[in-house]
Amino acid sequence: MKTRILLASAGVLALSASLVACSGGAAPEAPAGVDAATATSAEDFGGMDQLIAAAQAEGELNVIALPEDWANYGAILSGFEDKYDITVNSANPNASSAEEIQAAQNQAGQDTAPDVFDLGTAVALENTDKFAPYKVTTWDSIPEKNKHPEGLWVNNYTGIMSVGYDSSTVEEPKQLDDLLGEKYRGSVALNGDPTQAGAAFAAVGTISALAGGGVEDFAPGIDWMQKLKDAGNFLTVDPTPATIASGETPVVFDWSFNNIAAAANKPDFKTTVLPGAAYVSFYNEAINKDAPHPAAARLWQEWMFSDEVQTLLLEGNSVPVRVDALKEAGSVDEKLLETATAGTTSEDWISPNQEQTDAANKLLTERWAALTR
């Protein structure tokens, strides 16, 4: 399962124009004299048809850290290939945000470097100098809180931090401290290391809120994780669909869309959100400013924020940033939305701001290694 550190953000609204599809018939020629690497909108190419033509002339797109079983990325990746006849090269699906940036640095100037990123807070905000500004055609329907003013990064989708559990071997936890009991001996895993992994970072944030702290103070969450370790219940195995299916990781703190998806291979694997505050946080799309396929990178951004893909994200049990625009268009399946939000409402949701995220990262850097020794 992919691991990230996340950008806290909230709210979605308004409807705007959908992505213009590639029309039938002969494709237009790529526009002459357009520097795709400096284009900040489709209009810089002369419109969507010309952007599509420029991307098709490049013929390829390099992505990284996009597992096919994560938020419906399998359908999103294949959909892009089918719609635009562009080959997608998907590298290291389980990479962290930090590893995405490292790959871009290590492969700079090579045609294998990532064209686009899917990142979270700490990494995204520390690396904005590596991103190219771009505003998609649906820009106006993305809330101000969910995007950089120049389009260096844009929030895309979120999940709800949840607990997945193998109902054939353990009981459903009703409250946080249930997981300290003997019934959960050697059973409770986080999705990664919270100093690098967004899902694990969010898990500690959720635990902090449920243990008397909150997004402004992760210390109670770290303290509680020490209790979990002392009880012999902390399982230091990174969960994957395979470990869940085999029963190796019977209890998992992870995004709701991952835990729900795991049931496809393990029908007894159920998902619950512990009562209290519900942690949410959005992932961030960004374009590598040194993308080897700069037109395809920009077309990918248009694809990701189209109605079509925002709907695919919802079908993958995540909450897309443009969900209210989809609602206004009458294209939201309310049952899907109920599943994606795991029965919570925005009144339950908590997210750290940038200052709180920085403080949490500092605290985790100072204390987490000692806890896992």
Side-chain angles (χ1 to χ4, degrees), residues 8-144:
S9 190
V12 282
L13 77 159
L15 175 67
S16 184
S18 300
L19 174 66
V20 178
C22 180
S23 57
E29 294 184 3
V34 174
D35 182 3
T38 62
T40 59
S41 72
E43 290 307 309
D44 288 346
F45 291 88
M48 279 299 302
D49 284 348
Q50 287 72 29
L51 168 57
I52 292 167
Q56 289 175 331
E58 293 173 348
E60 296 183 67
L61 174 78
N62 298 339
V63 302
I64 186 171
L66 299 183
E68 293 190 0
D69 56 4
W70 176 284
N72 214 15
Y73 261 116
I76 293 167
L77 292 165
S78 62
F80 182 81
E81 288 189 315
D82 292 344
K83 190 179 188 77
Y84 298 112
D85 195 25
I86 294 171
T87 300
V88 176
N89 306 309
S90 181
N92 197 1
N94 293 316
S96 68
S97 291
E99 289 169 330
E100 291 185 62
I101 297 297
Q102 191 62 54
Q105 293 172 336
N106 292 344
Q107 299 172 45
Q110 301 177 36
D111 61 9
T112 56
D115 287 306
V116 291
F117 303 114
D118 190 57
L119 302 165
T121 297
V123 175
L125 296 180
E126 288 173 1
N127 291 281
T128 55
D129 60 330
K130 299 177 177 65
F131 306 153
Y134 187 80
K135 295 183 179 181
V136 294
T137 56
T138 54
W139 180 260
D140 288 345
S141 66
I142 300 169
E144 296 302 319

